Amino acid sequence: MKLTVFATTDVHGAIYPYDYFTDTDKNSSLLHIKSYIDWYKQENPEEIVLTVDNGDILQGGVWNDYDYEHRAGSMLVPKIINDLYDIIGIGNHEFNFGLDYLYTVYKEIEPVIINANVDFKDHPLKKRVLPYEILEKETSSGIIKIGFLSVVPTQIMKWDAFHLEGRLTVADMRKTVEETAAEMKAAGADMTILLSHSGLSKNPDHLRKYGENQTLLMTMVKNIDGIIFGHTHEFFPDADFEVEIGTIDFRKGTINDKPMVQPGVYASHLGMLTFEIEKKDGSWNSLDRTACLIDTREIPLTQELKNKYEPDHQKVREFLSQPIGKIEAVWHTYFSRLFPSKAVQVVAEAGKAYTEKLIQSGELESQPVLGFNAAIKAGRDGPDDFTVLEAGEVTLSEAINLYKHANSMVIIKINGATLKEWLEWSASQFNSPDETDILLKPNRSRDGFPSYNYDTFFDLDYVFDITQPPKYDSTAKLINNSSRLVEVRYRGKAVEDEEVFIVPANSYRVAYTPFLRNAEILHESQLNVRDIVIEYIKDSPDFVLSDPMTILPRGRYKISTATKAKDYITEDQQIKHLEEKGDGFSWYEINLD
């Protein structure tokens, strides 16, 4: 008897094979995955075939944005979920829109929804989300009971504190898995599959209690027969996966003899767990277990399926095509971690304009306002993971591309000392001058520094000396008693520790960052940051591009960014394309003299 479990994770709304930001067809999507699974079931009628999702499917794509704006009974993503899955778990981004919206979506979803480590207290989600599910499947040897459980990082209480604080609690993942798997075994589960919305890491900070990426610990838990994991947007099995611990068999896709898959992001891959099982002496046993990834680009898309979802696709296109303003020159984020970028700065300017209106109305006290932002899309998920707006009309689609997250606007008051720590964190994105790449990799799970944690303050002038060790890691954890910040000035004057500033921030940054958690919150907006940006662009703003940062020592450095970036180098930029790396990225020389 053969059991096959197909799995997705971190789909982030990549439903239809279309890039809505470039208006081009794509050769990967959730519809490709459904085409393959439908074909597989038809070709293998004797197998038990189940399909699961490991979370982060309800946020991150334009289909999700459409659903949020049309949540009164005409949502689109629940349709494909109902067509495809048997079980779905919960990811951290499912909480971005708040619990009430999540419940609204889940009422439209038919598959069983599971999570074992979140206690929703008295919210209706308490009854809608089960701690685990045991599916019973009839075979020629009798019924087999296949159990599924799901966990999510406890860090959701930081990332979405403004939605979740006081409304739910989250238990440690590893402990929850141990206890729940034992409970499922006692309830009769013959096999148990874990949906772990958590990455695979050796970092001690992740492996201790309440760590973020604990999946390695899950491989050591009794009563777990297979693992689907995610969250970090990486791939497993993959010989390039930088983990050397336990017993790893990349050919079979196992760690500590447990088959495991992490199928990337945006439906780029489909995970597949395969079990050869038999019933002997009244018990089900696994004779062989393997895991593999299927590249979605190699899957033929069923035209009938594409036609079925074509009307929904057109609804999304119509929704996104609304013109909201104009820009005079191209905006992009290809070099935004080193050079000024209007695609990044516009969010800061929108936040400042929103804040200054509140000051003018008397709702906020009059204090200096500092705008900041980070590049959300700057290469973390591949060479196409950048924001590009061509000159001319700006549509709603392009505005969403500037700021894709559902974070709300939170205005805080900080002093100069806190501001300096904030800048030290940003300075920590740089390697030492003798490294090949001046920038740490834009990933998040190992030793990188994701662009969305690198903030630029456009109303300041500051100098970083990168010969000094970084003070923080990418999560804002203190790692050295060092300082890269040489000086910081506001309107020409050195910033003093006791000075007071108002900062239009976002809910993620305020809740996530350790040195901001005690900041005084002056205003919590009912609007999210993206809505504020859209309204700002509608007013056709004309702001001056700011270049606040100086790097020491001066000189020429190398960085890696998309090969396409060479077409966007302007004459006034000291940037030279050196060579292609062969993966859609290239090396560039940056002159910082």
Side-chain angles (χ1 to χ4, degrees), residues 35 180 341 356 403:
S35 295
T180 307
S341 166
E356 285 163 357
Y403 198 94

Side-chain angles (χ1 to χ4, degrees), residues 260-409:
M260 303 175 60
V261 286
Q262 183 180 15
V265 64
Y266 300 132
S268 68
H269 290 72
L270 172 63
M272 182 177 181
L273 300 181
T274 302
F275 301 88
E276 298 287 347
I277 54 178
E278 72 168 359
K279 192 171 187 180
K280 188 174 182 180
D281 298 329
S283 298
W284 287 97
N285 302 298
S286 178
L287 304 177
D288 191 29
R289 50 185 72 187
T290 59
C292 69
L293 294 178
I294 300 168
D295 192 331
T296 312
R297 295 170 299 179
E298 300 175 359
I299 298 174
L301 176 62
T302 304
Q303 188 61 43
E304 181 181 359
L305 183 61
K306 186 177 181 182
N307 293 343
K308 177 180 178 180
Y309 285 91
E310 170 75 16
D312 292 343
H313 162 62
Q314 293 302 335
K315 288 179 182 178
V316 175
R317 289 194 69 190
E318 182 179 353
F319 166 66
L320 294 173
S321 64
Q322 305 170 48
I324 62 169
K326 291 183 178 180
I327 58 175
E328 300 300 322
V330 64
W331 293 1
H332 65 83
T333 60
Y334 287 123
F335 304 104
S336 59
R337 293 174 69 191
L338 272 178
F339 284 107
S341 166
K342 281 199 169 184
V344 178
Q345 187 176 340
V346 66
V347 178
E349 298 297 333
K352 282 170 52 185
Y354 177 85
T355 303
E356 285 163 357
K357 287 180 181 179
L358 294 176
I359 292 175
Q360 291 167 9
S361 69
E363 184 171 339
L364 295 180
E365 62 181 318
S366 180
Q367 297 284 355
V369 179
L370 301 181
F372 82 93
N373 189 35
I376 305 300
K377 297 174 66 176
R380 177 194 178 198
D381 293 317
D384 296 322
D385 183 40
F386 293 87
T387 297
V388 181
L389 275 66
E390 300 293 347
E393 190 174 76
V394 177
T395 65
L396 179 60
S397 170
E398 290 170 315
I400 291 172
N401 202 18
L402 289 169
Y403 198 94
K404 67 178 184 177
H405 294 305
N407 303 321
S408 57
M409 174 67 73

Side-chain angles (χ1 to χ4, degrees), residues 194-228:
L194 169 64
L195 307 184
S196 174
H197 196 85
S198 177
L200 188 66
S201 174
K202 293 190 302 180
N203 187 324
D205 289 334
H206 291 277
L207 299 182
R208 63 169 54 105
K209 191 174 183 180
Y210 300 114
E212 180 179 347
N213 293 301
Q214 293 190 346
T215 298
L216 186 61
L217 297 177
M218 312 305 184
T219 68
M220 307 168 195
V221 175
K222 187 179 179 182
N223 299 320
I224 296 295
D225 297 284
I227 300 175
I228 293 105

Side-chain angles (χ1 to χ4, degrees), residues 44 88 173 205 223 228 259 344 362 422 426 456 463 503 513 545:
N44 302 276
I88 64 170
M173 288 185 287
D205 289 334
N223 299 320
I228 293 105
V344 178
W422 201 336
S426 287
T456 299
V463 180
V503 181
T513 311
L545 186 63

Side-chain angles (χ1 to χ4, degrees), residues 44-191:
N44 302 276
E46 74 288 352
E47 289 187 26
I48 301 172
V49 178
L50 300 171
T51 305
V52 302
D53 180 71
N54 187 40
D56 281 8
I57 195 172
L58 300 180
Q59 182 276 345
V62 292
W63 282 52
N64 305 127
D65 296 315
Y66 179 94
D67 279 356
Y68 185 72
E69 296 297 328
H70 299 82
R71 51 191 179 273
S74 58
M75 292 183 288
L76 306 181
V77 176
K79 295 180 184 178
I80 183 66
I81 291 176
N82 294 341
D83 276 356
L84 182 55
Y85 296 104
D86 299 288
I87 300 280
I88 64 170
I90 303 180
N92 58 290
H93 283 290
E94 258 72 62
F95 296 96
N96 288 171
F97 296 106
L99 296 184
D100 295 340
Y101 175 73
L102 183 59
Y103 182 63
T104 298
V105 179
Y106 280 174
K107 285 192 295 184
E108 302 293 321
I109 289 176
E110 297 169 3
V112 177
I113 305 163
I114 58 172
N115 176 274
N117 71 320
V118 176
D119 183 349
F120 290 100
K121 295 187 175 181
D122 57 354
H123 196 276
L125 284 165
K126 177 88 168 181
K127 295 181 179 180
R128 184 67 185 89
V129 179
L130 304 179
Y132 62 85
E133 176 72 353
I134 299 176
L135 300 179
E136 297 186 2
K137 294 296 178 179
E138 188 73 51
T139 77
S140 58
S141 301
I143 292 176
I144 182 170
K145 298 181 179 181
I146 307 160
F148 294 87
L149 76 149
S150 163
V151 289
V152 70
T154 58
Q155 282 74 16
I156 62 171
M157 295 303 297
K158 293 193 300 183
W159 301 328
D160 278 304
F162 292 92
H163 289 309
L164 307 182
E165 190 171 354
R167 305 190 73 186
L168 56 77
T169 58
V170 193
D172 177 65
M173 288 185 287
R174 192 260 177 87
K175 182 179 180 181
T176 299
V177 170
E178 289 178 334
E179 294 175 350
T180 307
E183 181 180 342
M184 295 169 70
K185 183 73 172 178
D190 297 302
M191 300 181 63

